[in-house]
């Protein structure tokens, strides 16, 4: 055997390697397309397997043609086709395994095995005269190279699909696989040995070269062209896919950006990777800020949100409701859907879609609140609302609300879900069942029932939908009062009939046309008509003559029943005279009241009674009243004359008292230095007597004011305790003179208030205390105390004096009345004044007395609430007059010489006071104009004009109106005082003058 060797054509070897690499790249590129597509995957799988199989087969034949040997050979067609089929089917199996299970191990082994099978079957297809032998080491190496290269190439390809489709790894995989296939082939060829027989003829080198090179080039060209076509088809398809992908991406991006809900992606650690504009708007965070916030912490229910997040990251889609907390801490209610992101079978994170349902949540809450409010309202209504449906066991209650069901002794749980027989008494359930049957048949039902002495009105209304009753709504109202009222009405109707028949008043009922409906017997008697004929009388067509009290005739429209029908208003107390016959005139007092039924007037009820005797008596009374009016007017004139007389007497008495008390005060003040004690005592007695006389004049004038109604009373809350204490302070000197002790005993030291005139209240207490001291022997105690009830306080003044005979107690409060046997100074008007003042201030008074043991006078007033405290200005007691600090001039207008001399005497001690006198008003005004004095004193009674006219004249002159003016008058009537201040006087001083007070007035007004 002769061993022969050959050599390789470098260009053809290069073509074989290029074909292997291009075939690997084309197959893997199309394979990657298949992995991306969701449809037509079998088409891409077949195309990629064809690319790989054709490329591997072509590479083997090109590589074998690249080996030139000096023997002839050719290829077995069947084995060649089988080799190509194995290459394509092996590639198909490898790529299908990778596509289905994403395993590079099995797909690499299958691919490597198909490459080896293709190679060695193609080698077995060679037919030549030479004997072919293979070195086992080369075969083993080729097998290892094929399997390792295929495994590693598929692993790199798998990496390229898992690491964001890295194109570099795909290219490396293609080059590695193409070169590996070539290395495997040439490694196998390297171990191939050719032997020929010794007698065989060896051809020269290059005998087949002209044929091998073109043939290999043709195979390479066809294969490369075919692979390029495959790549172009894939590229074209890829371009379409890119356009579709871009369009889909835009769709997805639009769906993402303009989604009305929050859409975001969360990684495996719960961090937000991306979020749409709606999410940024709704949360208030930017994406940069949001990437630092764990997704669950954005919710109030963070723990629950985290639990659901991990559930979605484990592969489940979850749905839940949560409260999203915005950046400004505002709450947003959302519905969250979270689903896993799965890439190549691995979970990479989760998608989150959060829908803002705040408005719906608020609406739901409002609806729940409304439902609760409705339920609460229904539960508080006096009756009961319920629903029921018909089941296999009977009528079952589905709702029951209202106070009445509880008043019947049932609770809501006792009714809902129960049938009639399960909670109602048997008889009541039986009676109700018939009504329930009618309602379930579609009929509206209402009925009344009695249960446990109560009456109920029930109404059932069926709810019909599509011609069938779905449920029945019922309501129950307690009509026990109405039921009782009906019974009472039934009982009272007979009583009313009997009362009507026995009334001493005529009663008739007639309709709108005047036809009598009913009348009592007394009406027939008054109208002098037989009772059985009374209903035939028509008041609209009477032939009777009807007159007014003044004798004029009634028109038809003025008859009370007719007027009532026209005006729809009652007519009351109309006096009518009716001539029932020519001689008899009957006077009636008539009332007409409209009869109202629903909103329409149906007639009139007329009542009348005979007042003929009253009319005659009224005529007599009218005559008497006229006489009384004349007498009253004369009494008022007499009372006015009395008041004027008392006022005149008071004025005339005060005028000489002015001189008496004035000079007595001057003598008392000057006599402390010049007179003896005996002379001073006599002057003081003059003052005491004069003041007593003035007190009597004042009391007389007060009583006159009360009787004439001219006494002004200013009512205000006054403390009883304080008023008593003030009165006791004033009366202590008088009690001391009588060696009497004044005791007080308040009711549990309680301070109470009465509404009185404080000055007049003090006057009452002083009068009663003065009487108690005056009419009690020396060394006797006087006690004043109070008795308090819920509404009144009684002040009692108890003495241990002589007492009052029982026969004189009724007259003790009469004016000028004095107990005959008591010889005490007084006028008898003090107690009369007390009574009049007490009555004016809404009180009462009285006396209890036992002759020889003493008397108890009392006054009682209603209690009032304690007044709101006021800020009091305590001016203190009047200070003694300290003289004038600056010179002043005074004009005194007075016509009485005695009064002028008294004023000169009062002011003469003060050298800086200049007194100018005018005896008439006209002269006084002229004097004032000429000197413009600091003070003007004006007597009211002047010979030419009165003091009011003088003051009015001065008020009109701008240069003189600012000068202070003091009225000096012996008139103490309130009307005169009011008029004085009205015309412009600054002060009003009544005579007799209290000198110190008068001087202080001058000092205050002149500010001297």
């Amino acid at each position: 055997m002769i061993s022969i060797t050959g050599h390789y054509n470098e260009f053809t070897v290069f073509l074989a390697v290029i074909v292997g690499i291009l075939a690997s790249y084309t197959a893997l590129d199309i394979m990657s397309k298949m992995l991306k597509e969701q449809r037509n995957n079998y088409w891409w799988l077949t195309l990629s397997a064809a690319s790989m199989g054709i490329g591997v087969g072509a590479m083997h034949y090109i590589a074998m043609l690249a080996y030139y040997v000096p023997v002839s050979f050719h290829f077995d067609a069947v084995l060649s086709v089988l080799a190509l089929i194995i290459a394509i089917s092996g590639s198909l199996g490898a790529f299908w395994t990778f596509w289905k299970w994403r395993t590079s191990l099995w797909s690499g082994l299958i691919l490597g095995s198909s490459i080896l099978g293709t190679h060695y079957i193609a080698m077995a297809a060679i037919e030549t005269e030479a004997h072919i032998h293979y070195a086992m080491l080369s075969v083993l190496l080729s097998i290892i190279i094929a399997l390792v290269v295929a495994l590693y190439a598929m692993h790199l390809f798998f990496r390229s699909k898992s690491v964001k489709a890295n194109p570099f790894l795909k290219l490396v995989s293609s080059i590695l696989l193409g070169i590996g296939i070539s290395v495997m082939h040439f490694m196998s060829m390297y171990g191939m040995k050719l032997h020929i027989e010794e007698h065989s003829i060896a051809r020269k080198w290059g005998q087949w070269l002209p044929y091998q090179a073109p043939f290999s080039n043709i195979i390479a060209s066809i294969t490369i062209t075919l692979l390029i076509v495959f790549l172009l088809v894939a590229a074209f398809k890829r371009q379409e896919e890119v356009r579709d992908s871009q369009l889909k991406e835009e769709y997805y991006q639009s769906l993402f950006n303009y989604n009305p809900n929050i859409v975001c992606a969360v990684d495996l650690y719960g961090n937000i990777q991306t979020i749409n504009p709606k999410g940024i708007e709704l949360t208030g965070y930017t994406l940069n800020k949001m990437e630092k916030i764990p997704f669950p912490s954005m919710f109030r229910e963070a723990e629950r949100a985290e639990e659901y997040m991990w559930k979605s990251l484990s592969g489940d889609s979850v749905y839940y409701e949560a409260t999203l907390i915005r950046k400004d801490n505002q709450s947003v209610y959302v519905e969250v859907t979270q689903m896993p992101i799965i890439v190549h079978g691995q979970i990479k994170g989760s998608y989150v879609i959060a829908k803002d349902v705040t408005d719906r949540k608020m609406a739901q809450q409002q609806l729940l609140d409304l439902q609760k409010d409705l339920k609460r309202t229904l539960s508080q209504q006096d009756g009961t609302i319920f629903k029921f449906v018909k089941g296999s066991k009977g009528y079952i209650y589905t709702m029951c609300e209202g106070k009445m069901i509880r008043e019947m002794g049932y609770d809501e749980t006792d009714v809902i879900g129960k049938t009639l027989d399960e909670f109602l008494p048997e008889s009541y359930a039986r009676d109700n069942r018939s009504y329930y049957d009618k309602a379930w048949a579609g009929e509206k039902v209402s009925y009344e029932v009695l249960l446990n002495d109560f009456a109920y009105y029930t109404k059932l209304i069926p709810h019909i939908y599509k011609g069938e009753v779905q449920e029945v709504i019922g309501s129950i109202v307690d009509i026990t009062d109405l039921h009782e009222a009906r019974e009472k009405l039934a009982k009272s109707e007979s009583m009313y009939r009997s009362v009507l028949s026995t009334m001493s008043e005529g009663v008739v009922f007639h309709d709108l046309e005047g036809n009598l409906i009913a009348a009592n017997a007394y009406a027939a008697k008054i109208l002098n008509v037989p009772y059985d004929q009374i209903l035939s009388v028509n008041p609209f067509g009477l032939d009777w003559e009807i007159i007014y009290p003044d004798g004029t005739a009634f028109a038809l429209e003025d008859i009370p029943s007719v007027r009532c029908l026209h005006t729809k208003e009652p007519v009351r107390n109309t006096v009518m005279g009716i001539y029932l016959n020519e001689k008899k005139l009957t006077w009636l007092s008539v009332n007409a009241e409209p009869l109202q039924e629903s909103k329409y007037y149906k007639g009139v009820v007329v009542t009348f009674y005979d007042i003929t005797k009253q009319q005659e008596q009224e005529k007599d009374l009218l005559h008497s009243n006229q006489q009384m009016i004349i007498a009253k007017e004369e009494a008022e004139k007499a009372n006015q004359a009395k008041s004027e007389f008392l006022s005149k007497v008071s004025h005339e008495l005060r005028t000489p008292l002015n001189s008496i008390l004035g000079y007595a005060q001057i003598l008392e003040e000057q006599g402390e230095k010049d007179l003896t004690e005996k002379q001073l005592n006599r002057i003081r007695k003059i003052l005491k007597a004069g003041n007593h006389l003035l007190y009597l004049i004042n009391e007389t004038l007060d009583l006159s004011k009360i009787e004439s109604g001219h006494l002004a009373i200013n009512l205000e809350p006054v403390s009883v305790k304080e008023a008593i204490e003030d009165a006791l302070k004033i009366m202590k000197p008088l009690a001391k003179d009588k060696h009497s002790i004044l005791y007080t005993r308040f009711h549990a030291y309680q301070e109470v208030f009465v509404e009185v005139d404080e000055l007049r209240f003090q006057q009452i207490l002083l009068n009663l205390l003065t009487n108690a001291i005056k009419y009690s022997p020396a060394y006797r105690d006087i006690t004043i105390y109070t008795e308090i009830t819920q509404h009144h306080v009684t002040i009692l003044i108890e003495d241990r004096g002589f007492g009052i005979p029982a026969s004189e107690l009724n007259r003790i409060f009469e004016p000028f009345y004095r107990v005959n046997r008591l010889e005490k100074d007084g006028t008898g008007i003090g107690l009369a004044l007390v009574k009049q003042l007490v009555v004016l201030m809404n009180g009462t008074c009285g006396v209890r007395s036992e002759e020889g043991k003493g008397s108890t006078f009392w006054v009682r007033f209603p209690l009032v609430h304690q007044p709101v405290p006021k800020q009091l200005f305590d001016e203190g007691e009047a200070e003694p007059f300290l003289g004038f600090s600056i010179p002043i001039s005074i004009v005194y207008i007075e016509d009485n010489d005695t009064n002028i001399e008294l004023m000169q005497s009062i002011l003469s001690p003060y050298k800086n006071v200049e007194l100018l006198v005018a005896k008439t008003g006209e002269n006084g005004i002229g004097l004032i104009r000429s000197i413009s004095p600091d003070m003007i004193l004006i007597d009211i009674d002047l010979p030419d004009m009165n003091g009011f006219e003088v003051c009015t004249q001065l008020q009109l002159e701008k240069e003189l109106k600012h000068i202070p003016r003091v009225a000096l008058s012996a008139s103490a009537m309130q009307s005169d005082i009011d008029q004085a201040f009205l015309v412009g006087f600054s002060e009003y001083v009544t005579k007799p003058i209290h000198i110190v007070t008068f001087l202080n007035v001058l000092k205050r007004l002149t500010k001297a």
Side-chain angles (χ1 to χ4, degrees), residues 705-767:
K705 289 179 181 178
I706 293 173
E707 290 180 346
S708 62
H710 294 155
L711 183 65
I713 296 295
N714 180 29
L715 298 180
E716 60 181 344
V718 173
S719 171
V720 173
K721 185 176 180 181
E722 290 181 4
I724 292 174
E725 289 175 348
D726 291 343
L728 292 177
K729 288 179 184 178
I730 297 172
M731 297 307 299
K732 275 185 179 179
L734 181 60
K736 188 176 181 181
D737 290 344
K738 290 287 295 284
H739 303 286
S740 298
I741 300 176
L742 299 176
Y743 287 102
T744 58
R745 187 170 72 247
F746 294 116
H747 187 275
Y749 299 97
Q750 182 179 359
E751 186 171 10
V752 293
F753 292 82
V754 292
E755 190 172 49
V756 293
D757 185 302
E758 186 173 8
L759 180 63
R760 300 303 179 182
F761 186 54
Q762 191 69 249
Q763 187 176 355
I764 291 169
L765 297 178
L766 292 177
N767 275 355

Side-chain angles (χ1 to χ4, degrees), residues 513-528:
E513 288 74 31
N515 301 312
L516 291 191
I517 302 169
N520 66 346
Y522 199 69
K525 180 180 179 181
I526 293 175
L527 297 176
N528 198 24

Side-chain angles (χ1 to χ4, degrees), residues 814-834:
E814 293 180 5
F816 307 106
Y817 179 79
R818 302 182 69 240
V819 179
N820 292 327
R821 64 182 183 82
L822 298 178
E823 296 179 359
K824 295 290 182 180
D825 294 337
T827 60
I829 62 174
L831 290 177
L833 182 61
V834 166

